[in-house]
C-alpha cells in the first residue's frame, strides 16, 4: 500500500560538508509536494542501502537522495526496477550522475524540480547498468546484482582509487595525488578480456570505462556521448601509451576530446563482459570488487522525478 511519503537519504558529509546547512531547506521544499517527508537513518553504506530497500518495501511514494554520487549509488540499490519515484538532489563534490540526467546543480532548485514532479505525477525513465560479479561467490544463492548510474572505471583510475583507499596518510586530496604518482611509477599495459553483445573485443591497454552518463571524477567526460535513455552502455578503451601520453590525455578527458585520439575506441552495447586480473572496479566512485563482471543495460530501470 502506498503511503504517500517521501523517504530521504542524505549524507551530511557530502561535498566535504559545505551543503550541510541546506538539508532543512531541501526537506521543506520536498514537503511542498504535499507529501510527508521522512529522513532515513543510516550510519554506513550498507545501512543506507537497507534503509532504502525497507522504505520501498514499506510503500513510499518516492526515495530522494541528497548528496553526491556515492549517496545516489546507495539509493539506487533500493529503487532499481521498483515502482517508486526517485529524486536526485546534488550535494557532493562531483555530482556526475545528477549532471548526466539533467538535474539542476543547485540543491534547492533540484529539490523544487523533484517536488513539482511529485505534485504533477510525472517521471522520466532512466537507464541503469546492472552488474553481476563472475568472481567466486560464497553465497548459496549466487551473487546479488548491483546497479550503477554513471560510470564504471576499470583502468588506471580504478588502480589509483584502490591505492588511495589503502593509504592512511596523507589525508584529503593529497592522498590521491600521491596515489597517482605511485601508480604512474608502476604503469604498464594490462590484458583485458572484453566481450560486447557476444563479440570478442579483448585488448591490451590501461584505460577502460563503461557507463550510461558522460562523466566521472567530478566532470571528466570519459564517455562524452553517453545517453542515459538510449538503452545502451557506452564503452571506451585505449591501447597502450606511456606516462607522457597519459599526462597529455588527462586534460582532454575534462573536455571529452580524448575520443579523437587514434589509441582510443568507443563502443556501444547492451551487454558487456569485462575481466582483467589485479584490478578492482569502481562505479559511481564506489568500490565494486574484482574486475570480472557481467554488465547489462536495464532500460528505464528508475523512475526519475524531473
Amino acid at each position: 500500500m502506498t503511503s504517500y511519503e517521501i523517504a530521504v537519504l542524505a549524507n551530511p558529509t557530502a561535498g566535504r560538508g559545505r551543503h550541510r546547512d541546506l538539508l532543512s531547506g531541501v526537506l521543506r521544499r520536498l514537503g511542498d509536494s504535499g507529501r510527508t517527508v521522512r529522513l532515513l537513518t543510516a550510519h554506513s553504506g550498507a545501512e543506507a542501502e537497507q534503509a532504502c530497500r525497507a522504505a520501498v518495501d514499506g510503500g513510499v511514494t518516492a526515495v530522494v537522495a541528497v548528496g553526491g554520487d556515492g549517496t545516489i549509488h546507495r539509493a539506487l540499490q533500493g529503487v532499481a526496477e521498483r515502482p517508486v519515484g526517485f529524486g536526485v538532489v546534488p550535494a557532493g563534490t562531483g555530482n556526475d550522475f545528477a549532471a548526466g540526467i539533467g538535474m539542476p546543480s543547485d540543491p534547492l532548485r533540484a529539490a523544487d524540480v523533484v517536488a513539482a514532479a511529485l505534485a504533477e505525477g510525472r517521471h522520466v525513465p532512466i537507464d541503469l547498468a546492472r552488474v553481476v560479479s563472475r568472481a567466486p561467490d560464497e553465497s548459496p544463492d549466487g551473487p546479488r546484482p548491483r546497479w550503477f548510474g554513471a560510470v564504471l572505471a576499470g583502468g588506471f583510475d580504478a588502480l589509483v582509487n584502490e591505492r588511495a583507499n589503502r593509504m592512511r596518510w596523507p589525508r584529503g586530496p593529497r592522498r590521491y595525488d600521491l596515489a597517482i604518482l605511485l601508480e604512474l611509477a608502476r604503469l604498464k599495459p594490462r590484458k583485458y578480456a572484453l566481450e560486447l553483445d557476444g563479440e570478442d573485443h579483448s585488448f591490451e591497454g590501461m584505460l577502460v570505462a563503461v557507463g550510461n552518463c558522460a562523466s566521472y571524477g567530478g566532470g571528466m567526460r570519459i564517455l562524452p556521448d553517453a545517453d542515459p535513455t538510449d538503452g545502451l552502455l557506452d564503452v571506451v578503451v585505449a591501447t597502450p601509451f606511456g606516462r607522457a601520453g597519459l599526462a597529455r590525455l588527462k586534460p582532454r578527458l575534462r573536455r571529452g576530446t580524448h575520443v579523437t585520439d587514434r589509441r582510443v575506441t568507443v563502443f556501444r552495447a547492451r551487454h558487456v563482459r569485462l575481466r582483467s586480473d589485479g584490478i578492482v572496479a569502481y562505479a559511481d566512485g564506489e568500490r565494486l570488487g574484482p574486475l570480472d563482471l557481467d554488465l547489462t543495460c536495464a532500460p528505464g530501470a528508475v523512475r526519475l522525478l524531473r
Side-chain angles (χ1 to χ4, degrees):
M1 180 180 296
T2 302
S3 69
Y4 300 101
E5 185 178 54
I6 304 170
V8 177
L9 180 67
N11 180 1
T13 65
R16 301 191 178 94
R18 66 176 180 270
H19 293 303
R20 185 180 293 113
D21 294 337
L22 283 173
L23 181 57
S24 59
V26 167
L27 297 177
R28 283 196 303 272
R29 295 189 184 211
L30 292 175
D32 289 343
S33 65
R35 270 75 172 177
T36 301
V37 180
R38 173 167 59 96
L39 190 61
L40 299 176
T41 300
H43 302 289
S44 68
E47 287 186 11
E49 292 179 18
Q50 181 56 38
C52 289
R53 290 190 180 102
V56 175
D57 290 342
V60 296
T61 298
V63 173
V64 178
V66 183
D69 289 318
T71 303
I72 292 166
H73 181 83
R74 300 297 180 178
L76 287 176
Q77 311 313 310
V79 303
E81 293 191 333
R82 300 294 301 275
V84 61
F86 182 54
V88 174
V89 176
T93 54
N95 305 315
D96 291 296
F97 180 71
I101 59 175
M103 291 301 294
S105 59
D106 177 77
L108 293 179
R109 284 187 57 209
D112 286 338
V113 169
V114 173
L118 276 168
E120 297 167 18
R122 67 171 190 269
H123 70 267
V124 178
I126 295 292
D127 303 343
L128 295 179
R130 181 181 186 270
V131 188
V132 176
S133 172
R134 298 165 60 200
D137 192 284
E138 298 180 1
S139 169
D141 300 322
R144 183 173 193 167
R146 292 194 65 80
W147 306 85
F148 70 88
V151 177
L152 178 143
F156 178 77
D157 287 335
L159 292 169
V160 170
N161 259 321
E162 185 70 358
R163 163 86 65 166
N165 286 341
R166 293 198 307 265
M167 295 165 62
R168 295 292 177 264
W169 180 91
R171 295 185 178 276
R174 290 181 59 200
R175 181 172 59 181
Y176 288 89
D177 293 339
L178 180 57
I180 289 172
L181 292 176
L182 293 172
E183 286 300 324
L184 278 174
R186 58 195 292 255
L187 183 69
K188 64 178 181 180
R190 292 175 178 267
K191 292 182 179 179
Y192 288 88
L194 175 64
E195 186 180 292
L196 304 174
D197 290 336
E199 294 187 4
D200 183 29
H201 291 273
S202 298
F203 69 101
E204 186 176 68
M206 58 262 296
L207 176 68
V208 59
V210 183
N212 278 312
C213 293
S215 67
Y216 71 163
M220 289 192 293
R221 297 181 60 79
I222 185 73
L223 301 167
D225 296 317
D227 180 350
T229 64
D230 66 359
L232 297 170
L233 298 171
D234 279 35
V235 183
V236 63
V237 304
T239 54
F241 46 84
R243 295 179 182 86
L246 179 63
R248 288 193 296 270
L249 195 67
K250 278 291 185 180
R252 297 180 66 184
L253 289 174
R254 185 69 58 177
R255 303 187 298 273
T257 58
H258 61 288
V259 295
T260 64
D261 190 290
R262 59 180 176 78
R263 295 163 294 187
V264 177
T265 306
V266 179
F267 303 96
R268 287 192 175 92
R270 289 178 174 82
H271 181 213
V272 178
R273 301 182 73 175
L274 181 62
R275 180 178 61 80
S276 187
D277 294 335
I279 294 184
V280 173
Y282 281 73
D284 299 337
E286 297 294 302
R287 191 181 196 271
L288 281 189
L291 188 59
D292 190 359
L293 305 171
D294 273 340
L295 304 99
T296 306
C297 185
V302 70
R303 301 179 177 185
L304 179 70
L305 297 168
R306 191 188 68 196

